[in-house]
Amino acid sequence: MQTKVYDHIGIEERWQKAWEEQGLFQNMAATVKPGDDWLYLLFAFAYPSGQGLHVGHVESKTALDILARFNRMSGKKVFFPVGWDAFGLPAENYAVKTGVHPAETTRSAIDTFRRQIKRIGISYDWEAEIATSHPGYYKWTQWLFLELYKKGFAYQGDGMVNWCPSCQTVLANEQVVNGACERCDTEVTQKNMKQWFFKITEYKDELISGLDQVDWPEATKQQQLHWIGKGEGLNIDFTLKNTKVVLPIWTKFWETIFGTTFIVIAPEKFLELELEQFLPSGQAKSVMTYIEEASHKTEEERKIGEKDKTGVNTGLFVVNPVNGDSIPLFVADYVLMGVGTAIVMGVPAHDQRDFAFAKKFSLPIIQVVAYADKKIDQKVAAGEMSFEAEGVLVNSGQFDGMSAWGSGKAKMAEWMIGQHFARFQTTYKLRDWLISRQRYWGAPIPIVYDPEGKPHPVKEEHLPWTLPTDVDFKPTGESPLTSSKEFQARVEKLYGKGWRPEYDTMDTFVDSSWYYLRYGSARDESQFADPEQLKALLPVDFYMIGPEHIVLHLLYSRFFTKFLRDQGYLKFDEPFTKMRHQGMILGPNGKKMSKSKGNVINPDEIIEKFGADTLRVYEMFMGPIESDKPWDVSAVAGVYRFLQRTQAAVLSQVGEAESLKHPEMIAVRRKLHQTIAKVAGDIGSLKFNTAIAALMEFINVYERACREVKLVLPEAEVLAWTQLIAPFAPFLAEELFQSGHADAEPGFASIHLTNWPQSDATLAAEQEFVVPVQIDGKVRARLLIKADKVTDETYVVAQARADAIVTRWLQGTSATARYIAGKIVSFSTQA
RNA sequence: GCCUCGGUGGCGGAAUUGGUAUACGCGUCAGACUUAAAAUCUGAUGGUCUUACGAUCUUGUGGGUUCGAGUCCCACCCGAGGCACCA
């Protein structure tokens, strides 16, 4: 029966070329009309690394491509652009090593990616392609900086910043992971520098509330919330004994304040408040030594103290405002600057850290919350738990007996605020975004300094403020742009003698956090984005992005969106309406793919051997798009077989059609129409794996039927079958659709331009139902019920009772029956 | 410690959201074709007992709700990812 081999190489080359010549799905932005409703599908901005496409890229790109093709066939206008996050460190580091200019490296990497992506048939709109390193793009990145500057959202700040000694640049808080540089894993140090910041904190509350508007994975929302780190607590004034010096503490758990047996202050805060003047002479030396040592510790060293807390008793006492108790003041570096007020109350009975500290320094422990459960009370005494359970206040003066988390907490706050020594204070973890980078391969910050060193914005007519090329790449701790003669000359020519440029470039996250606004106006030189385009295309309807970008990129993108909205440029609050994360494709051994482990699957090799269609369908068939899944070398061949069988089956659809009345024909057509409905539903809910399984089921049914009789389906149904394949295996589908022609004619109508088939409910309807019979919850028999009887409860139950096995099980019982139409007959023998 | 997912055959995974557990694919076994192998095709394939009809057990563990639980509730165990001296 298989007369024609599956020539995947020939098929894929032919149709890639034909589509390209025809410009299929290209330049869609030109067709935007007012009032249009577009489906905007977006893939995470990719960094064009020298490695080329890996199987993970293929997975998420294919998933989006399936959505694009399916929705186009369903009559939607689809915007599906692509671009490159082309500035960044790898190309620059490579330049340092080899001397090849980053522009060169980047261009050839992009060429490789583009060729590979076309080869796997992703139907991107290449007319909207953008690259952040192109002056036509970064002109608008700089424009955005100036907009922020004009509105006071970009400012120069002085202070301690994160410094990566290996990358020789400052880093944003978000780029420091466990005290190390997220890129090179070098330990980050602190450095005092004057740098540019964006005022993202201005939108902190909206960055929280906006999450309610979007359809994102719960975990992603949680992580964003955690990063913003809103904490609602109380500032409570303790005073240094015998002075008027106020030491405000901040706490979320003020209900335990009667249990405070010590106060701890951060070393830096101690100096800031100049408390050293009060130190008793005997104590002064040890305290100052401790503070000195703490200042030399790195973040990592401070964290080692997590188990063994360090600290020093100052010999000073503070007064607890709620009861006038004198309690000792300690300096300890586990209290961090920047969290709350950097002064904490130590309540060892109800906090694990405080407990450890109290044990170490032999401080008293006063329990102020009693728990109904004695076991919890014991745990509290052993320091094993903190705020895990609700209890009743004790040892707390007039608040004794009140609920710790209920009336007690509320009454206590009310009282303390009434006494004027406490006030509500909300704190946030989010800090302003540090965007200066002392690196070359990025967008220059459009700022110039006058001879007095005062910053001025680069005039808009001078944009793009181009990146000079006469630059020494070697990182010296100075920005590489310092070495450019052209840059300096340009500034003096345009702004006057003695002026100098800002030598730093912008964090690449600035480039990549507004790109989705640019696609619709990719070649527009007059504005960052055309308002009509924005209105029709945005916000992004579906965003597919790796889970690694959750905090940085999304937070920044949301900030830009809200800022531009407030300037009147955008009409929406959130840029990404719906978002999902693709899972990771693991090596065949179930481990993350890496060259050193030798478990990397190269997509080019799979394409050579099995074809791009097989690669696409296999990756979609592996499992749910959002979960991590290992590569299975032999399962790929199974998918290849499926495509091969599909080709053979469709190509055999010539000749005399079997009568439509033939039972095998009826069964196959029923399955086909069921499959049409199933595939459309599954694509809609991103269940590509089960959609493909359904297509496999269909061909199984078809081939089985063909063993009885040669089946030639009606033409419309052969077409429908081919169309179902089209989003998944676009090359093969086109080949089957065009198989009547010898070659692609100029102006041929692609299958990808046809209308998605409709399932005929009548043909899809089952004629018989298998109804299981349960007796006390166990399936004992199955009945075959004709469709016209399936709603007839009396009939079905009678059939069930008549069944031999059921009769046996029901003998001597008085069973009651219930029937869920078409689903199940359930007998219960219990009374 | 906290947050978020997960745990189903030898493996990847299905299960219309409370109604036939193990769809589909891989693998394995048997068979056809072949001198042979590969490729391709056909059949079987959760465990235990049984010649068979069939019975019985089975969705991480233990309880519960229900005629009926992979699915809902409670407690716990294990794994992955993220966060964390956050007061």
Side-chain angles (χ1 to χ4, degrees):
Chain A
M1 195 110 140
Q2 302 204 352
T3 50
K4 198 169 170 186
V5 289
Y6 174 32
D7 169 24
H8 60 266
I9 293 177
I11 291 172
E12 291 171 8
E13 278 177 1
R14 176 155 61 247
W15 298 112
Q16 188 192 321
K17 186 158 161 278
W19 295 335
E20 184 127 20
E21 279 167 9
Q22 227 183 41
L24 202 58
F25 308 128
Q26 299 303 294
N27 205 8
M28 297 305 284
T31 71
V32 167
K33 288 191 290 294
D36 274 355
D37 182 27
W38 286 69
L39 183 74
Y40 187 168
L41 302 174
L42 186 63
F43 176 71
F45 219 24
Y47 180 79
S49 81
Q51 316 296 323
L53 209 62
H54 58 72
V55 290
H57 288 124
V58 175
E59 181 191 23
S60 35
K61 285 174 184 293
T62 302
L64 281 169
D65 190 55
I66 290 167
L67 291 175
R69 291 178 186 275
F70 169 74
N71 279 290
R72 288 188 196 112
M73 290 173 82
S74 306
K76 280 247 173 62
K77 302 186 88 172
V78 173
F79 189 50
F80 189 31
V82 63
W84 312 102
D85 187 13
F87 275 137
L89 275 180
E92 185 171 344
N93 290 340
Y94 186 75
V96 171
K97 234 190 314 187
T98 64
V100 181
H101 196 275
E104 186 81 14
T105 318
T106 305
R107 197 182 46 235
S108 83
I110 289 176
D111 286 344
T112 306
F113 267 87
R114 199 186 289 117
R115 186 177 47 76
Q116 287 179 309
I117 289 170
K118 287 184 176 178
R119 207 171 165 207
I120 58 169
I122 306 299
S123 57
Y124 280 139
D125 185 345
W126 294 96
E127 294 296 319
E129 184 181 0
I130 55 180
T132 55
S133 58
H134 193 282
Y137 180 88
Y138 71 68
K139 171 182 179 179
W140 299 106
T141 307
Q142 291 167 332
W143 170 85
L144 176 59
F145 177 97
L146 293 177
E147 284 290 299
L148 288 155
Y149 181 80
K150 275 189 260 174
K151 299 286 161 22
F153 277 78
Y155 67 93
Q156 233 174 350
D158 225 343
M160 297 302 269
V161 292
N162 305 301
W163 176 261
C164 172
S166 160
C167 298
Q168 295 276 333
T169 183
V170 298
L171 298 171
N173 288 346
E174 289 81 354
Q175 288 162 335
V176 180
V177 179
N178 286 327
C181 171
E182 67 155 1
R183 200 165 269 292
C184 66
D185 221 31
T186 307
E187 193 173 294
V188 169
T189 58
Q190 299 293 305
K191 208 168 167 177
N192 200 347
M193 291 174 78
K194 199 168 201 185
Q195 300 281 291
W196 287 95
F197 290 85
F198 285 168
K199 220 181 249 178
I200 189 170
T201 52
E202 198 77 7
Y203 285 99
K204 55 189 189 261
D205 284 311
E206 213 199 321
L207 288 171
I208 294 172
S209 62
L211 292 173
D212 292 337
Q213 299 178 23
V214 293
D215 175 4
W216 289 9
E218 188 55 30
T220 305
K221 291 188 181 183
Q222 291 299 330
Q223 283 186 51
Q224 292 250 315
L225 285 175
H226 196 267
W227 190 262
I228 299 165
K230 184 175 182 175
E232 286 166 332
L234 218 48
N235 267 359
I236 304 170
D237 295 336
F238 284 61
T239 44
L240 195 60
K241 198 173 182 186
N242 301 325
T243 73
K244 294 231 158 23
V245 177
V246 172
L247 301 180
I249 63 98
W250 182 77
T251 179
K252 286 193 264 190
F253 308 104
W254 61 82
E255 71 277 14
T256 62
I257 190 167
F258 284 88
T260 309
T261 57
F262 57 94
I263 294 290
V264 191
I265 184 166
E268 300 89 337
K269 189 73 181 181
F270 187 87
L271 295 180
E272 188 185 306
L273 295 176
E274 298 173 359
L275 299 180
E276 60 273 18
Q277 58 181 304
F278 302 106
L279 283 174
S281 51
Q283 231 73 28
K285 195 166 176 233
S286 61
V287 172
M288 295 317 283
T289 309
Y290 178 83
I291 292 175
E292 175 66 15
E293 277 169 5
S295 74
H296 293 306
K297 280 192 193 172
T298 65
E299 193 126 334
E300 275 309 293
E301 284 168 332
R302 274 195 175 197
K303 277 185 183 160
I304 293 168
E306 208 165 321
K307 289 185 190 93
D308 185 26
K309 303 224 173 309
T310 64
V312 61
N313 193 340
T314 61
L316 297 169
F317 286 87
V318 289
V319 178
N320 187 341
V322 297
N323 53 13
D325 281 0
S326 270
I327 51 181
L329 175 69
F330 282 75
V331 178
D333 62 9
Y334 80 86
V335 177
L336 304 176
M337 282 301 277
V339 180
T341 58
I343 309 173
V344 304
M345 62 179 201
V347 186
H350 302 283
D351 183 276
Q352 284 179 23
R353 277 163 315 158
D354 294 347
F355 182 84
F357 197 80
K359 278 284 175 203
K360 176 152 181 183
F361 292 93
S362 306
L363 295 160
I365 298 170
I366 301 171
Q367 185 173 349
V368 288
V369 182
Y371 302 94
D373 187 339
K374 282 282 163 282
K375 270 193 251 161
I376 297 179
D377 263 349
Q378 281 161 15
K379 278 193 175 180
V380 168
E384 281 170 18
M385 62 179 291
S386 41
F387 295 94
E388 291 165 40
E390 162 70 316
V392 169
L393 293 172
V394 293
N395 297 325
S396 297
Q398 66 268 43
F399 302 99
D400 281 357
M402 295 184 190
S403 129
W405 290 355
S407 59
K409 184 158 191 163
K411 285 258 161 60
M412 213 186 276
E414 203 179 294
W415 175 72
M416 289 193 281
I417 292 166
Q419 297 290 309
H420 301 295
F421 60 76
R423 65 216 74 86
F424 280 112
Q425 167 91 50
T426 304
T427 66
Y428 296 83
K429 223 179 86 178
L430 185 70
R431 295 285 170 267
D432 278 340
W433 175 15
L434 166 54
I435 58 107
S436 304
R437 292 294 180 274
Q438 289 71 46
R439 296 303 306 231
Y440 170 68
W441 192 231
I445 293 175
I447 288 286
V448 287
Y449 297 90
D450 63 25
E452 277 80 59
K454 198 166 163 273
H456 298 268
V458 166
K459 292 179 188 149
E460 222 165 285
E461 69 252 36
H462 296 150
L463 298 187
W465 191 239
T466 54
L467 185 64
T469 50
D470 60 331
V471 166
D472 181 13
F473 302 126
K474 274 231 166 57
T476 57
E478 288 256 287
S479 300
L481 294 190
T482 318
S483 67
S484 167
K485 294 199 169 61
E486 183 272 314
F487 204 30
Q488 180 61 39
R490 187 201 314 170
V491 171
E492 297 211 334
K493 181 167 167 247
L494 293 172
Y495 294 91
K497 195 103 187 92
W499 288 59
R500 69 160 185 92
E502 165 65 62
Y503 297 119
D504 291 349
T505 54
M506 284 188 254
D507 180 3
T508 56
F509 275 106
V510 180
D511 310 322
S512 62
S513 296
W514 73 278
Y515 74 107
Y516 46 90
L517 302 172
R518 182 66 182 163
Y519 277 131
S521 317
R523 306 287 170 265
D524 192 334
E525 290 178 14
S526 64
Q527 52 192 340
F528 91 100
D530 179 272
E532 281 300 331
Q533 299 281 350
L534 289 174
K535 195 169 171 227
L537 300 174
L538 282 134
V540 172
D541 294 285
F542 183 73
Y543 197 15
M544 191 99 196
I545 184 171
E548 67 277 9
H549 290 117
I550 283 173
V551 174
L552 311 160
H553 167 65
L554 293 176
L555 212 51
Y556 299 151
S557 297
R558 298 178 61 221
F559 161 58
F560 281 160
T561 300
K562 290 171 195 304
F563 170 76
L564 288 168
R565 176 204 60 198
D566 288 346
Q567 309 318 308
Y569 292 109
L570 305 178
K571 303 273 181 266
F572 49 90
D573 303 321
E574 288 288 335
F576 313 123
T577 308
K578 178 173 177 176
M579 175 171 61
R580 292 293 182 269
H581 307 302
Q582 76 273 15
M584 204 192 312
I585 295 185
L586 308 169
N589 56 355
K591 298 261 164 27
K592 197 172 166 178
M593 283 189 195
S594 81
K595 266 189 282 182
S596 60
K597 286 192 200 119
N599 62 348
V600 176
I601 301 292
N602 178 350
D604 284 327
E605 284 170 22
I606 303 292
I607 294 171
E608 283 302 320
K609 197 163 169 200
F610 299 104
D613 279 334
T614 299
L615 177 64
R616 289 170 60 114
V617 175
Y618 170 64
E619 290 205 19
M620 292 301 100
F621 183 60
M622 289 172 86
I625 194 81
E626 296 188 66
S627 35
D628 295 348
K629 349 165 230 283
W631 190 272
D632 182 341
V633 175
S634 47
V636 182
V639 169
Y640 185 75
R641 274 197 286 275
F642 160 65
L643 294 180
Q644 188 176 299
R645 283 159 63 202
T646 301
Q647 170 181 275
V650 173
L651 291 182
S652 72
Q653 295 294 315
V654 284
E656 211 46 29
E658 185 58 49
S659 159
L660 294 183
K661 297 249 162 59
H662 195 286
E664 296 293 348
M665 185 60 119
I666 292 170
V668 168
R669 294 181 76 204
R670 182 191 310 132
K671 187 69 180 176
L672 178 63
H673 282 273
Q674 289 172 351
T675 306
I676 293 171
K678 168 86 174 149
V679 169
D682 282 354
I683 292 176
S685 44
L686 308 176
K687 288 157 75 174
F688 307 117
N689 55 333
T690 53
I692 292 163
L695 290 166
M696 288 174 169
E697 271 186 62
F698 172 69
I699 198 160
N700 289 345
V701 167
Y702 169 82
E703 285 181 346
R704 199 173 294 266
C706 280
R707 265 174 244 146
E708 308 296 322
V709 54
K710 177 174 160 48
L711 285 183
V712 174
L713 294 165
E715 212 176 298
E717 282 164 15
V718 178
L719 172 63
W721 183 1
T722 317
Q723 286 171 316
L724 293 186
I725 311 276
F728 302 94
F731 297 103
L732 177 61
E734 189 78 278
E735 174 74 11
L736 297 175
F737 182 62
Q738 306 288 345
S739 58
H741 316 253
D743 285 296
E745 306 288 330
F748 77 103
S750 169
I751 188 169
H752 302 290
L753 295 168
T754 59
N755 293 325
W756 189 257
Q758 296 302 308
S759 169
D760 183 325
T762 316
L763 289 174
E766 289 290 351
Q767 296 175 339
E768 281 179 338
F769 289 80
V770 177
V771 178
V773 182
Q774 271 187 0
I775 296 162
D776 293 331
K778 291 201 187 298
V779 176
R780 296 297 176 186
R782 293 180 172 87
L783 307 172
L784 208 56
I785 304 293
K786 292 255 179 283
D788 58 339
K789 293 283 195 196
V790 83
T791 53
D792 184 343
E793 176 162 355
T794 320
Y795 171 81
V796 176
V797 171
Q799 289 291 303
R801 285 190 189 275
D803 183 274
I805 297 170
V806 174
T807 309
R808 212 180 71 211
W809 280 96
L810 292 184
Q811 220 158 41
T813 69
S814 52
T816 52
R818 85 181 65 204
Y819 176 55
I820 313 297
K823 299 255 191 200
I824 204 156
V825 181
S826 181
F827 287 102
S828 170
T829 61
Q830 291 117 23

